[in-house]
Amino acid sequence: MATTMPRADETATNAALAALVKELGQENVLVSAEELREYRDPYDYKGSDEYTGSAVVTPRSVENVQAIVGIANEFRVPLWTFGTGRNFAYGGAAPRVRGSIQVSFREMNRVLEVDDELAYAVVEPGVRFFDLYEHLNAGGYRLWPSIPDLGWGSIVGNTLDSGRGYTPYGDHPTTQCGLEVVLANGELLRTGMGGMTTSKSWHLFRESYGPNHSGLFFQSNFGIVTKMGVWLMRAPEVYVSGWATWRDEGACAAVIDTLRELMFEGVIRNHPLVGYGVPTEGGRDASGGGWMVRFALYGRESLVEAQYEIVSDALSASTPGIELTRRLYRGHDERSAATLHDDKVQGGLPGLELIEMFKRLHGEDAGHLDLSSIGPLSGADVVESIRLRREISERHGVPFSAAVVLLPRSALLISPVIFDTNDEQQTRAAYDNYAKMVVELAHAGYPVYRTNIQHMDLVADQFDWGDHAQRRLNEKLKDLLDPNGILSPGKQGIWPQGMRPPR
Amino acid sequence: MATTMPRADETATNAALAALVKELGQENVLVSAEELREYRDPYDYKGSDEYTGSAVVTPRSVENVQAIVGIANEFRVPLWTFGTGRNFAYGGAAPRVRGSIQVSFREMNRVLEVDDELAYAVVEPGVRFFDLYEHLNAGGYRLWPSIPDLGWGSIVGNTLDSGRGYTPYGDHPTTQCGLEVVLANGELLRTGMGGMTTSKSWHLFRESYGPNHSGLFFQSNFGIVTKMGVWLMRAPEVYVSGWATWRDEGACAAVIDTLRELMFEGVIRNHPLVGYGVPTEGGRDASGGGWMVRFALYGRESLVEAQYEIVSDALSASTPGIELTRRLYRGHDERSAATLHDDKVQGGLPGLELIEMFKRLHGEDAGHLDLSSIGPLSGADVVESIRLRREISERHGVPFSAAVVLLPRSALLISPVIFDTNDEQQTRAAYDNYAKMVVELAHAGYPVYRTNIQHMDLVADQFDWGDHAQRRLNEKLKDLLDPNGILSPGKQGIWPQGMRPPR
């Protein structure tokens, strides 16, 4: 699966670590095996030490980050940056290159600004969804963050990985606005309107005068983001969390087409989620082979009631036998008391329910890889892609479940590959099966848009158009922006000169 | 104002033109002064020939574009690319570098694809808003394009210049999805999910696996976009065009704050426009010094009626004396018969009303520059920025009017500087005044986000943060991606090596 992995040079690394201790203090440079354990890939085989760094350094300021980058350039050693390292299904904090110096943002975790009137915040890369939520609550702001399934991750990390949430602000790459970036040469860049010192609109207007640089820093190793603006949702008068179940797979296409049209109309403004065989605590249990969908409505009570009736009528008309329920939360405080996972994520409340449920079902040492591909938001296509995914999964002996996130015009189909990380053979088989599935999905037209560290090269390989034109451009940009190849080498399959795998 | 302009080398240009005639045929290479007249800056002084190309070439295919780029590299001559060249207030088709070879996309004007189910189209760069509208109508699609004030412009050109329209799809940089780009080395790139040959989601999902390249090609000279996906709006059941007027400037802040909250709530989903002294044919005439705002609602009749009541109540409560009117269009066909400018642009109907009105008011040979800056979407700030703009305008002897486009968290304030293009002194004074106003606005915190060819360097100069970090990055990228500096040198102040102004 992975190509032969480059390794960091030990002598250079030791010299760099000495310089880092001098710069940051011993307390910000972890090196003991015990301390590093937490920063390995939690879902790799427990006995493997392939994806292990040689140290974890903890910057506490932008200047610290610049100093770290300077030292890495001086000693030509690879860094591997992460927000909180909680993105377990995609590799956690673990580096692609063994022996990399891991840069942890856990201590750069300040909410730098909240603008109540214009509904945005500015965060450092270590700010977790939990932190922002608590900060907003403590400050008495009537603003909701958008939240992904787990609240312990970094907002910046999730956003830069093109993550999604489930409120109307769930399209995280689009609801961020205004980045500050440390480039590999140590220089600082502010994107968009932040490029003018006096500007009042760095975090208010997404475009630039001239080219827009922000996309360069998504899923990338071209720079290190140290600040980000994030747009927030004004707390609505009421919030309805809706939930529907049905048994007949034949009805799935109609449900998805119906929801798509309701999204086009602006009746549903969040990202609904369709699930099959997904364990859940909200509403009904769909794990018995049935289907479920959740969606949410927000706003004035009179409008939300009218919208709910429209959704209910449309789903009932298109899908005989569908059963619809809902929970209505009046006001900011009533919503803040929500406890069910589905109601929490659609209401911008961070939680850990899904990982707790995963551990209950599969044990403390279970791991999973998420196979996450993008297809058209068309009922017929989603049904066909689920059929294909199930067929591939069963052929590879992988139990099948699926969650489909309905995005504005695409369907993000996520299915987990679950294994016991104490069992080397089972773990390796899972990674191999995942790899085969990536290729089969690509043949069928479904790109994986985000992946774990071990499959990054393989997924990049599937982006073959124009004789791999995207990779050619990425490698040129990498050589320009990071000539010593110090920033997260191998991330998303982008390697610096000298580390590129033979092709 | 402009720095001393570089000029294209005449001998090299003539050799390149001979090669272009051989490649494209004489009929696709215009060189006579008579033919070139149309491609000059229509709003420069009529007697000036500073911003004049040496030829206009007309590619008819992507391969033609690649051949043109190859010839430009071979002979080291600058190209200047435009969609239709109708962006008059920003320079039309005219090049920054005198003697450039202008590349006109007017003949690459095919709508390549319309997907009715998923509501998007794929267009070539010469497709005008008129063309797409007519194509959709002719095909019987119930899909609306988003339209800026004038329908004769190129959709790709407007979008890449970060233009806006007035339906819920009016944020053109965000509603595009999936670019094809000819790079300066002649290679082709497809962005995002288009990077996989088999992918079904090139025009459906905006992000990439790895860095997102699309922003690099906005307001830029790093590549030539040859295809673009554009998301369309499903025709709503009803459409209401709303209109309100008031006289008291003191009420302006309350109107803007009220509208912002209605936008945050999702009640208003388009970009409302607030106008002062703007000539108009819809509803009331605000040119007598009064204020107006227009907005629109779309969807099921029952919801739209409820939403209109909410808007009406909120505006009446916040703004004593405000007078509200509306026009309701039931169904796709009723809307297609709309004739008033405001109802057309908010209903996705292209037109030319504004330019016709401008000519009626100011004469056939009047020109204007649009001073377009970005500030916070806060009533108090917009009022203050209007006061400042009026004060600056009056100080420079420029009659004042303003349109404020309300974007999700920012206010785009546009005021025209109008002059007689037959009068050299008046024209030059207008350009000089504009330049002074750019600098004064920058000092006050309002960046200009888009400008005409003569002020591109000056506006770029204002983006000074980090000792001009954005420019430094743009120049590095320019040298990497276009080492011979053949693509639109000087666009947005980005010059290739050898042409950079002394600083």
Side-chain angles (χ1 to χ4, degrees), chain A residues 85-140:
Chain A
R86 296 297 183 197
N87 202 4
F88 283 5
Y90 297 116
R96 289 280 331 251
V97 173
R98 188 174 170 181
S100 293
I101 295 172
Q102 292 163 275
V103 180
S104 166
F105 276 113
R106 289 191 195 170
E107 297 300 327
M108 278 180 70
N109 57 2
R110 289 174 302 167
V111 177
L112 298 170
E113 184 187 348
V114 176
D115 189 310
D116 199 31
E117 183 185 22
L118 293 169
Y120 72 87
V122 184
V123 296
E124 290 187 325
V127 173
R128 302 171 310 155
F129 291 96
F130 280 127
D131 301 326
L132 178 58
Y133 174 75
E134 282 156 21
H135 186 94
L136 294 173
N137 253 19

Side-chain angles (χ1 to χ4, degrees), chain A residues 13 73 119-120 200 214 254 320 419:
Chain A
T13 301
N73 270 310
Y120 72 87
K200 303 181 185 186
S214 57
F419 48 90

Side-chain angles (χ1 to χ4, degrees), chain A residues 117-120 162 164 169 171 173-174 180 183 185 187-201 203-213 215-220 222 231-234 257 260-262 264-267 269 298-300 302-303 306-307 310 374-379 381 407-410 442-451 455-457 459-460 462-465 469-470 472-474 476-477 480-481 492-494, chain B residues 117-120 162 164 169 171 173-174 180 183 185 187-201 203-213 215-220 222 231-234 257 260-262 264-267 269 298-300 302-303 306-307 310 374-379 381 407-410 442-451 455-457 459-460 462-465 469-470 472-474 476-477 480-481 492-494:
Chain A
E117 183 185 22
L118 293 169
Y120 72 87
S162 297
R164 256 74 186 176
Y169 285 72
D171 192 350
T174 307
E180 180 184 87
L183 299 175
N185 62 6
E187 289 186 12
L188 270 180
L189 176 81
R190 289 186 172 177
T191 63
M193 297 298 112
M196 181 181 287
T197 305
T198 53
S199 169
K200 303 181 185 186
S201 52
H203 303 297
L204 302 176
F205 183 78
R206 280 187 292 248
E207 281 72 46
S208 299
Y209 173 77
N212 191 333
H213 305 114
L216 287 179
F217 305 105
F218 279 68
Q219 294 197 357
S220 106
F222 297 161
W231 289 358
L232 303 168
M233 181 178 172
R234 180 80 75 227
D257 288 339
R260 183 193 61 236
E261 294 303 316
L262 293 167
F264 280 173
E265 274 192 73
V267 169
R269 292 184 295 125
Y298 312 82
R300 307 279 174 121
S302 58
L303 288 179
Q307 287 167 335
I310 289 170
I374 302 291
L377 184 57
S378 149
D381 194 283
L407 303 178
R409 270 157 186 77
S410 58
H443 287 165
Y446 300 102
V448 165
Y449 87 109
R450 179 185 190 190
T451 198
H455 294 104
M456 283 179 174
D457 288 356
V459 172
Q462 311 311 307
F463 285 80
D464 62 335
W465 193 85
Q470 287 194 4
R472 227 167 23 254
L473 178 57
N474 283 331
K476 273 189 194 176
L477 292 168
L480 175 77
L481 297 172
Q492 251 67 29
I494 304 171
Chain B
E117 183 185 22
L118 293 168
Y120 73 87
S162 297
R164 257 72 187 178
Y169 285 72
D171 192 349
T174 306
E180 180 184 87
L183 299 175
N185 63 5
E187 289 186 12
L188 269 180
L189 176 79
R190 288 186 172 178
T191 63
M193 298 296 113
M196 182 182 285
T197 306
T198 51
S199 168
K200 301 181 184 185
S201 52
H203 303 296
L204 302 176
F205 182 78
R206 280 187 291 246
E207 282 71 46
S208 298
Y209 173 77
N212 192 334
H213 305 114
L216 288 179
F217 306 104
F218 279 68
Q219 293 197 358
S220 106
F222 297 161
W231 289 358
L232 304 167
M233 181 180 173
R234 180 80 76 225
D257 289 339
R260 182 194 60 235
E261 294 302 314
L262 293 167
F264 281 174
E265 275 193 72
V267 168
R269 293 185 293 123
Y298 313 83
R300 306 278 175 121
S302 58
L303 288 178
Q307 287 166 335
I310 289 169
I374 303 291
L377 184 58
S378 150
D381 194 286
L407 303 178
R409 271 160 185 74
S410 59
H443 287 164
Y446 302 100
V448 165
Y449 88 110
R450 178 186 191 191
T451 197
H455 294 104
M456 284 180 174
D457 288 355
V459 172
Q462 311 311 307
F463 285 81
D464 61 337
W465 194 86
Q470 287 194 6
R472 226 167 24 254
L473 178 57
N474 283 332
K476 275 190 192 176
L477 291 168
L480 175 78
L481 297 173
Q492 251 68 27
I494 305 171

Side-chain angles (χ1 to χ4, degrees), chain A residues 271-305:
Chain A
H271 296 151
L273 181 134
V274 170
Y276 171 78
V278 178
T280 172
E281 47 172 14
R284 318 268 173 127
D285 186 351
S287 60
W291 292 83
M292 55 73 58
V293 62
R294 74 167 188 228
F295 63 92
L297 306 168
Y298 312 82
R300 307 279 174 121
E301 186 159 5
S302 58
L303 288 179
V304 165
E305 288 293 356

